Amino acid sequence: VFDGKERFEKLKLLGEGGRGEVVGALDHDIGRKVAIKRLHAHVRSPAALARFVDEIRTIGKLEHPNIIPIHDVGTDGDGELYFVMKYVDGETLESVIEKLAAGDREYPRLYTFERRVEIFRALLEALAFAHAKGIVHRDIKPANVMVARYGEVLLMDWGFAISVADTMPQTPV
């Protein structure tokens, strides 16, 4: 804690699912915006916590420009586990698709055919990297792809990912 402030100052809810939430926060120690993921109180069973730790470790293995990076992991004052990710200033691919379909006048200019192919290619590069590491995402959808303000494409939400090695039957030696 610097200057007597709590490290993280919650700014706004960025996303929420059945198992957890992601909030935007200001990290006072570093002086930047971050995204913090936590489990909902009603899903803090041992199995849910193990899955959460698996997500942290999965993302930790996937250092790639198109995969959301983790900056930190810890427990808060109440002993609740969280992890800190890069804050992505942008919008989901789901939002981009909806605005294109709705006829938003600016979006065909921003998201030309060529730009949409670049986004798809970046997504495929993230998946190819994960697959080369033996990890399958299992929840690919436009809501889990962020398109950042400066063009970065990031695959998010690795909570359902599995390691192929964990699913292979073990052969006796």
Side-chain angles (χ1 to χ4, degrees):
V1 180
F2 295 131
D3 302 330
K5 293 181 182 178
E6 289 289 322
R7 179 170 180 194
F8 300 109
E9 177 185 338
K10 183 178 176 180
L11 300 174
K12 66 179 177 177
L13 181 68
L14 298 175
E16 189 168 20
R19 297 183 322 145
E21 69 177 14
V22 178
V23 296
L26 179 60
D27 182 337
H28 288 289
D29 285 1
I30 299 174
R32 69 173 168 200
K33 285 184 181 178
V34 295
I36 301 173
K37 185 168 184 176
R38 302 176 188 274
L39 290 176
H40 286 305
H42 66 277
V43 292
R44 290 192 184 123
S45 68
L49 286 173
R51 190 78 203 126
F52 195 68
V53 169
D54 285 345
E55 180 177 5
I56 292 166
R57 290 182 175 157
T58 296
I59 298 170
K61 294 175 188 172
L62 298 175
E63 183 94 17
H64 187 275
N66 301 113
I67 295 174
I68 191 70
I70 288 184
H71 293 314
D72 198 3
V73 61
T75 52
D76 64 18
D78 297 324
E80 301 297 336
L81 186 63
Y82 66 87
F83 65 89
V84 181
M85 301 173 285
K86 173 181 180 168
Y87 175 82
V88 181
D89 185 12
E91 62 186 316
T92 65
L93 183 57
E94 178 180 55
S95 172
V96 171
I97 292 168
E98 287 171 355
K99 289 175 182 173
L100 283 166
D104 185 303
R105 291 177 183 255
E106 187 177 355
Y107 274 67
R109 183 183 60 76
L110 292 173
Y111 294 97
T112 63
F113 174 78
E114 292 80 9
R115 178 65 186 127
R116 287 179 267 165
V117 169
E118 289 171 1
I119 292 168
F120 190 62
R121 180 179 177 167
L123 175 60
L124 292 176
E125 288 175 3
L127 290 171
F129 181 80
H131 293 174
K133 296 278 189 178
I135 297 170
V136 179
H137 188 281
R138 298 195 319 163
D139 195 22
I140 303 297
K141 58 187 178 186
N144 286 339
V145 177
M146 288 293 297
V147 181
R149 186 198 290 176
Y150 297 107
E152 310 97 317
V153 177
L154 293 153
L155 183 54
M156 316 290 282
D157 197 352
W158 291 81
F160 290 113
I162 59 168
S163 170
V164 176
D166 294 341
T167 64
M168 301 299 285
Q170 300 298 318
T171 53
V173 179

